[in-house]
PDB file of all heavy atoms in Angstrom:
ATOM      1  N   ALA A 426      33.718   5.752 -46.969  1.00  0.00           N
ATOM      2  CA  ALA A 426      34.407   4.863 -47.920  1.00  0.00           C
ATOM      3  C   ALA A 426      35.930   4.958 -47.807  1.00  0.00           C
ATOM      4  O   ALA A 426      36.641   4.823 -48.798  1.00  0.00           O
ATOM      5  CB  ALA A 426      33.949   5.136 -49.348  1.00  0.00           C
ATOM      6  N   PHE A 427      36.433   5.215 -46.617  1.00  0.00           N
ATOM      7  CA  PHE A 427      37.853   5.190 -46.257  1.00  0.00           C
ATOM      8  C   PHE A 427      38.687   6.342 -46.817  1.00  0.00           C
ATOM      9  O   PHE A 427      39.668   6.722 -46.204  1.00  0.00           O
ATOM     10  CB  PHE A 427      38.502   3.858 -46.670  1.00  0.00           C
ATOM     11  CG  PHE A 427      37.912   2.675 -45.952  1.00  0.00           C
ATOM     12  CD1 PHE A 427      36.945   1.908 -46.563  1.00  0.00           C
ATOM     13  CD2 PHE A 427      38.301   2.366 -44.674  1.00  0.00           C
ATOM     14  CE1 PHE A 427      36.386   0.825 -45.906  1.00  0.00           C
ATOM     15  CE2 PHE A 427      37.752   1.296 -44.008  1.00  0.00           C
ATOM     16  CZ  PHE A 427      36.785   0.522 -44.630  1.00  0.00           C
ATOM     17  N   ILE A 428      38.334   6.893 -47.935  1.00  0.00           N
ATOM     18  CA  ILE A 428      39.182   7.904 -48.574  1.00  0.00           C
ATOM     19  C   ILE A 428      39.267   9.183 -47.742  1.00  0.00           C
ATOM     20  O   ILE A 428      40.360   9.681 -47.466  1.00  0.00           O
ATOM     21  CB  ILE A 428      38.663   8.223 -49.995  1.00  0.00           C
ATOM     22  CG1 ILE A 428      38.681   6.979 -50.865  1.00  0.00           C
ATOM     23  CG2 ILE A 428      39.464   9.349 -50.630  1.00  0.00           C
ATOM     24  CD1 ILE A 428      40.045   6.353 -51.048  1.00  0.00           C
ATOM     25  N   THR A 429      38.132   9.709 -47.314  1.00  0.00           N
ATOM     26  CA  THR A 429      38.126  10.967 -46.567  1.00  0.00           C
ATOM     27  C   THR A 429      38.870  10.842 -45.243  1.00  0.00           C
ATOM     28  O   THR A 429      39.635  11.720 -44.864  1.00  0.00           O
ATOM     29  CB  THR A 429      36.678  11.429 -46.313  1.00  0.00           C
ATOM     30  OG1 THR A 429      36.000  11.488 -47.557  1.00  0.00           O
ATOM     31  CG2 THR A 429      36.655  12.780 -45.648  1.00  0.00           C
ATOM     32  N   GLY A 430      38.650   9.752 -44.532  1.00  0.00           N
ATOM     33  CA  GLY A 430      39.314   9.553 -43.249  1.00  0.00           C
ATOM     34  C   GLY A 430      40.814   9.430 -43.376  1.00  0.00           C
ATOM     35  O   GLY A 430      41.569   9.996 -42.582  1.00  0.00           O
ATOM     36  N   ILE A 431      41.259   8.705 -44.381  1.00  0.00           N
ATOM     37  CA  ILE A 431      42.696   8.533 -44.586  1.00  0.00           C
ATOM     38  C   ILE A 431      43.340   9.857 -44.981  1.00  0.00           C
ATOM     39  O   ILE A 431      44.407  10.214 -44.471  1.00  0.00           O
ATOM     40  CB  ILE A 431      42.960   7.446 -45.644  1.00  0.00           C
ATOM     41  CG1 ILE A 431      42.527   6.083 -45.093  1.00  0.00           C
ATOM     42  CG2 ILE A 431      44.421   7.420 -46.070  1.00  0.00           C
ATOM     43  CD1 ILE A 431      42.520   4.969 -46.105  1.00  0.00           C
ATOM     44  N   ILE A 432      42.697  10.595 -45.857  1.00  0.00           N
ATOM     45  CA  ILE A 432      43.239  11.899 -46.278  1.00  0.00           C
ATOM     46  C   ILE A 432      43.270  12.872 -45.099  1.00  0.00           C
ATOM     47  O   ILE A 432      44.255  13.581 -44.891  1.00  0.00           O
ATOM     48  CB  ILE A 432      42.437  12.465 -47.460  1.00  0.00           C
ATOM     49  CG1 ILE A 432      42.682  11.617 -48.706  1.00  0.00           C
ATOM     50  CG2 ILE A 432      42.791  13.926 -47.719  1.00  0.00           C
ATOM     51  CD1 ILE A 432      41.807  11.960 -49.881  1.00  0.00           C
ATOM     52  N   ALA A 433      42.199  12.885 -44.294  1.00  0.00           N
ATOM     53  CA  ALA A 433      42.158  13.769 -43.121  1.00  0.00           C
ATOM     54  C   ALA A 433      43.265  13.415 -42.130  1.00  0.00           C
ATOM     55  O   ALA A 433      43.909  14.299 -41.564  1.00  0.00           O
ATOM     56  CB  ALA A 433      40.792  13.683 -42.451  1.00  0.00           C
ATOM     57  N   TYR A 434      43.499  12.123 -41.916  1.00  0.00           N
ATOM     58  CA  TYR A 434      44.544  11.685 -40.998  1.00  0.00           C
ATOM     59  C   TYR A 434      45.916  12.124 -41.504  1.00  0.00           C
ATOM     60  O   TYR A 434      46.734  12.643 -40.740  1.00  0.00           O
ATOM     61  CB  TYR A 434      44.501  10.165 -40.824  1.00  0.00           C
ATOM     62  CG  TYR A 434      45.331   9.676 -39.668  1.00  0.00           C
ATOM     63  CD1 TYR A 434      44.782   9.595 -38.391  1.00  0.00           C
ATOM     64  CD2 TYR A 434      46.662   9.307 -39.830  1.00  0.00           C
ATOM     65  CE1 TYR A 434      45.545   9.161 -37.320  1.00  0.00           C
ATOM     66  CE2 TYR A 434      47.421   8.870 -38.773  1.00  0.00           C
ATOM     67  CZ  TYR A 434      46.854   8.791 -37.518  1.00  0.00           C
ATOM     68  OH  TYR A 434      47.603   8.361 -36.454  1.00  0.00           O
ATOM     69  N   LEU A 435      46.169  11.928 -42.787  1.00  0.00           N
ATOM     70  CA  LEU A 435      47.459  12.320 -43.354  1.00  0.00           C
ATOM     71  C   LEU A 435      47.675  13.828 -43.289  1.00  0.00           C
ATOM     72  O   LEU A 435      48.788  14.293 -43.009  1.00  0.00           O
ATOM     73  CB  LEU A 435      47.576  11.829 -44.793  1.00  0.00           C
ATOM     74  CG  LEU A 435      47.668  10.312 -44.953  1.00  0.00           C
ATOM     75  CD1 LEU A 435      47.647   9.935 -46.428  1.00  0.00           C
ATOM     76  CD2 LEU A 435      48.903   9.763 -44.273  1.00  0.00           C
ATOM     77  N   ILE A 436      46.626  14.600 -43.512  1.00  0.00           N
ATOM     78  CA  ILE A 436      46.741  16.057 -43.397  1.00  0.00           C
ATOM     79  C   ILE A 436      47.060  16.449 -41.954  1.00  0.00           C
ATOM     80  O   ILE A 436      47.909  17.307 -41.710  1.00  0.00           O
ATOM     81  CB  ILE A 436      45.462  16.741 -43.904  1.00  0.00           C
ATOM     82  CG1 ILE A 436      45.372  16.610 -45.424  1.00  0.00           C
ATOM     83  CG2 ILE A 436      45.417  18.218 -43.491  1.00  0.00           C
ATOM     84  CD1 ILE A 436      44.058  17.066 -46.009  1.00  0.00           C
ATOM     85  N   CYS A 437      46.396  15.800 -41.002  1.00  0.00           N
ATOM     86  CA  CYS A 437      46.672  16.093 -39.581  1.00  0.00           C
ATOM     87  C   CYS A 437      48.103  15.732 -39.209  1.00  0.00           C
ATOM     88  O   CYS A 437      48.735  16.439 -38.429  1.00  0.00           O
ATOM     89  CB  CYS A 437      45.690  15.342 -38.696  1.00  0.00           C
ATOM     90  SG  CYS A 437      44.038  16.030 -38.709  1.00  0.00           S
TER      91      CYS A 437
END
Side-chain angles (χ1 to χ4, degrees):
F427 297 98
I428 300 300
T429 306
I431 293 170
I432 291 172
Y434 193 88
L435 292 175
I436 289 171
C437 286

